[in-house]
Amino acid sequence: MSNTVPDLSQVRAISFDLDYTLWDLEGVIERAEQRLYDFLSESYPRITERYSPETLYRRRLDLAARQPQLRHNVTAWRKAALAELAEECGYEQSLVEQGFKVFIDARHEVTPYPETKPVLSALHGRYRLGVITNGNADVGRLGLGGYFDFALSAVDIGSAKPDHLIFEAACRRAGVAPDELLHIGDEPATDVFGAAQFGVHAVWLNRDGRAWPGELETVPHIEVASLQALGELLSPEAFRDG
């Protein structure tokens, strides 16, 4: 753990990041992109005859540059990109929902870390538990929804981590003050810096022992190597042997 561990006795709510916090995302987005590309090749071949996967990726980046409001809504961003392709290549707009479903189904083909459910189970009921994500993953689709009292995304708030608005919304949903909320995530810039700047207890889930990014201001935070370490810190009685 980094820095002196603060007094966490006042913590009444815990919010979790999703990707690389509750489950491993390695290779998942790439697989989902390929699944979508294969679908387009089969069902809408004029698109893939014209564009490679790399070109489609660059087109999405260009779209975000032209419409920056989409950056906080990854679902709308992907659908807008598909809508542009449909119009350009002479296909019906029904392509959009079909293609997005292929992508989002594959995007949810993840497996929670082995420690995830035991830790959530141990903390559930002791604290109000929530989700804060910049993406479009849905814990309900992965059998985890029952552990959480609230779920917030950048789409809901119109603002993404590390902006204070999303942490402010989490406090409102949990019914707590900032110093009564603890947020854990794997990203120093969005999860740790953002939470700490708003006065929330920040926990860096640093599974790989990375160094704190040199370009990022250091903020008060706790560092743990696993979710279980967080559980042992907050509810040690639930993790004692026997």
Side-chain angles (χ1 to χ4, degrees), residues 27-39:
V28 173
I29 299 299
E30 293 80 3
R31 184 172 65 243
E33 295 278 13
Q34 187 60 53
R35 193 84 55 83
L36 172 59
Y37 193 80
D38 293 343
F39 165 77

Side-chain angles (χ1 to χ4, degrees), residues 188-235:
T190 56
D191 292 305
V192 182
F193 184 83
Q197 286 289 94
F198 186 62
V200 168
H201 294 286
V203 178
W204 183 21
L205 179 54
N206 186 11
R207 297 180 186 277
D208 302 322
R210 293 172 287 158
W212 183 262
E215 71 279 5
L216 189 64
E217 176 187 348
T218 302
V219 292
H221 67 279
I222 301 167
E223 181 179 335
V224 296
S226 67
L227 284 177
Q228 178 154 330
L230 174 70
E232 292 170 352
L233 179 66
L234 291 170
S235 296

Side-chain angles (χ1 to χ4, degrees), residues 10 52 57 62 104 143 156 158 162 170 201 238 241:
Q10 76 272 36
S52 68
Y57 173 70
D62 176 68
I104 201 67
D156 301 322
H201 294 286
D241 292 338

Side-chain angles (χ1 to χ4, degrees), residues 38-157:
D38 293 343
F39 165 77
L40 294 174
S41 295
E42 180 178 348
S43 301
Y44 299 97
R46 289 197 295 273
I47 294 176
T48 54
E49 288 168 1
R50 186 175 301 186
Y51 297 113
S52 68
E54 294 75 18
T55 305
L56 291 181
Y57 173 70
R58 290 196 296 271
R59 280 177 59 95
R60 283 202 309 279
L61 294 181
D62 176 68
L63 175 60
R66 289 184 280 115
Q67 300 185 43
Q69 73 278 8
L70 292 174
R71 293 176 181 172
H72 296 323
N73 190 332
V74 291
T75 293
W77 182 10
R78 286 191 174 275
K79 288 184 177 181
L82 288 169
E84 282 194 348
L85 289 171
E87 181 176 1
E88 180 181 323
C89 296
Y91 288 118
E92 296 293 329
Q93 287 294 308
S94 56
L95 175 160
V96 175
E97 293 301 330
Q98 295 172 11
F100 183 74
K101 184 179 187 303
V102 169
F103 173 84
I104 201 67
D105 286 351
R107 190 256 186 272
H108 281 88
E109 291 178 3
V110 299
T111 302
Y113 292 114
E115 62 182 346
T116 296
K117 289 184 178 181
V119 170
L120 292 177
S121 180
L123 297 177
H124 180 67
R126 291 177 168 86
Y127 302 89
R128 288 185 63 80
L129 302 185
V131 166
I132 303 179
T133 178
N134 285 352
N136 53 9
D138 179 1
V139 290
R141 294 186 60 160
L142 298 168
L144 299 176
Y147 293 110
F148 296 102
D149 300 292
F150 64 93
L152 295 173
S153 71
V155 176
D156 301 322
I157 308 305

Side-chain angles (χ1 to χ4, degrees), residues 160-183:
K161 297 177 294 184
D163 191 271
H164 72 93
L165 291 176
I166 200 163
F167 293 104
E168 183 179 338
C171 289
R172 287 198 305 270
R173 289 289 299 273
V176 299
D179 64 356
E180 295 175 315
L181 175 66
L182 181 147
H183 178 72

